[in-house]
Amino acid sequence: MTGPNGVGKTNLLEAIHLGAQGFSPRTRSESRLVRFGAEAARVGISGTTGSAPFEARVDIAPGTGKQVLLNGAALATGDELRGRLAALVFIPERLAVVKGGPIVRRAYLDRMLGRVFPSRSDLPPSYGRAVAQRNAALRRVRAGESGLDAVEPWTAQVAALGTELDAARCELAGLLAPGLARIAAALGLEDAAIAYNGPGLTVAELEERLDRDVERAVTGAGPHLRDASIRAGERELRSFGSQGEQRTAVLALVLAEAGLLAERRGEPPLLLLDDVFSELDTERRGALLSQLPEGGQAVITATHRPGTARPDLVVEVTPGEARAAA
């Protein structure tokens, strides 16, 4: 999609993502997705996944919740839609994966877990619920409402699920690392790497710090406190990377995940790439296009039509309208 700044290219990309994944990649406040003066918003998309056609629709009405439909059937949650349709997005807000705090990188890995390992999609929320239950038991102990025996069963669950989650995140980082290094190098960032240090969690470790956990009423060890490292050589890009290097690293991560999904599912995901050419020279623009998974579909926004783009694949965006290029 091409057009000047401010005409709505990113909004269209956001709408496609909403229709394919059930949520906006730019905001968690869904009421903001409804046009000013309107009572509701609706996004509908259609296409094929594998050889099967699909139609997805998302309706948002502030005050009454969100409705997600796939092929006319209502889904319980947007998570169910994400499990059926695969779409990845790169937008400027995604730089938080490198620039933000540990919670952003943990959330990024955990969302990816559900896409790469569907059978483990419930692992992060299950671990989160176990930690919440243990913290509630710790608060009751601190308040004198129950004894330490109320914490023990949750300690065992937190340790077991935490060890599983650490192992899954480590495996995922290991699968991503080769693609990240290759794609980042093609885009001019050498020696890019991602690593997650997850040694697992034991009951003994949690029991050793039980007095401190009771005093603070929180579980002070486990995967909910860990971080992933995104580097270029020995440099941690969060603190020692330029804006351009951080941008390249996140873009390479998205493309590495796309390649991993294509390999594991036998079909590449839909790629939604916002303004990815703006900081790349002609050679690296070509390198970026060469890294897109074969046989997949990508929607890319740009202020100007790339010289290599086929005219029949270009959509020109003007305020309130998107049409095929002349």
Side-chain angles (χ1 to χ4, degrees):
M1 293 188 290
T2 65
N5 290 324
V7 297
K9 300 186 302 296
T10 302
N11 286 350
L12 279 172
L13 212 67
E14 180 183 22
I16 297 171
H17 188 276
L18 176 63
Q21 301 292 279
F23 72 98
S24 164
R26 302 172 70 195
T27 179
R28 290 295 179 262
S29 176
E30 293 182 336
S31 62
R32 298 181 61 184
L33 302 176
V34 180
R35 180 181 297 176
F36 290 118
E39 296 182 355
R42 170 176 292 174
V43 171
I45 64 172
S46 61
T48 59
T49 175
S51 58
F54 73 85
E55 291 187 2
R57 196 181 87 195
V58 177
D59 294 338
I60 296 173
T64 62
K66 177 173 65 179
Q67 185 178 41
V68 181
L69 296 94
L70 181 62
N71 297 329
L75 303 181
T77 66
D79 289 342
E80 194 174 344
L81 182 63
R82 294 195 289 278
R84 306 277 286 276
L85 304 178
L88 303 179
V89 65
F90 174 88
I91 53 176
E93 288 86 346
R94 279 294 166 91
L95 292 186
V97 172
V98 172
K99 298 172 67 172
I103 190 172
V104 181
R105 284 178 288 281
R106 289 195 299 269
Y108 182 77
L109 285 176
D110 288 347
R111 284 193 301 270
M112 204 183 305
L113 272 178
R115 293 189 288 262
V116 177
F117 306 120
S119 63
R120 302 188 217 178
S121 61
D122 195 48
L123 185 53
S126 294
Y127 172 76
R129 288 190 293 269
V131 171
Q133 291 286 355
R134 186 174 190 269
N135 290 347
L138 291 168
R139 288 193 295 271
R140 291 194 296 272
V141 172
R142 187 176 66 174
E145 298 172 356
S146 63
L148 290 175
D149 58 334
V151 181
E152 289 180 6
W154 298 114
T155 294
Q157 279 206 36
V158 167
L161 290 169
T163 297
E164 285 187 58
L165 183 54
D166 268 346
R169 287 176 178 172
C170 285
E171 183 178 356
L172 179 59
L175 290 172
L176 281 172
L180 169 64
R182 183 189 73 254
I183 295 167
L187 300 178
L189 179 64
E190 298 292 339
D191 301 321
I194 181 171
Y196 175 82
N197 181 22
L201 187 61
T202 65
V203 170
E205 182 182 355
L206 291 170
E207 288 182 340
E208 182 180 347
R209 58 172 301 113
L210 183 58
D211 289 343
R212 282 172 290 171
D213 285 358
V214 169
E215 180 182 350
R216 299 172 185 174
V218 294
T219 300
H224 60 291
L225 298 173
R226 306 207 203 284
D227 196 4
S229 170
I230 301 175
R231 307 184 311 277
E234 298 301 316
R235 291 183 295 124
E236 188 78 31
L237 289 175
R238 179 188 182 191
S239 301
F240 301 104
S242 68
Q243 176 90 356
E245 289 176 324
Q246 293 169 343
R247 180 183 173 89
T248 298
V250 175
L251 179 56
L253 264 178
V254 171
L255 296 179
E257 183 185 356
L260 183 58
L261 285 174
E263 177 184 322
R264 297 182 72 87
R265 292 188 172 193
E267 180 185 25
L270 171 64
L271 281 172
L272 306 170
L273 308 177
D274 189 31
D275 196 28
V276 289
F277 293 142
S278 61
E279 297 183 21
L280 300 176
D281 57 30
T282 302
E283 180 179 350
R284 285 175 180 163
R285 289 178 184 177
L288 169 62
L289 293 175
S290 72
Q291 297 300 324
L292 301 180
E294 291 186 11
Q297 184 176 17
V299 180
I300 304 173
T301 70
T303 54
H304 297 89
R305 185 189 304 186
T308 56
R310 284 170 40 189
D312 60 320
L313 298 180
V314 175
V315 174
E316 294 179 344
V317 181
T318 57
E321 184 181 12
R323 53 186 172 79

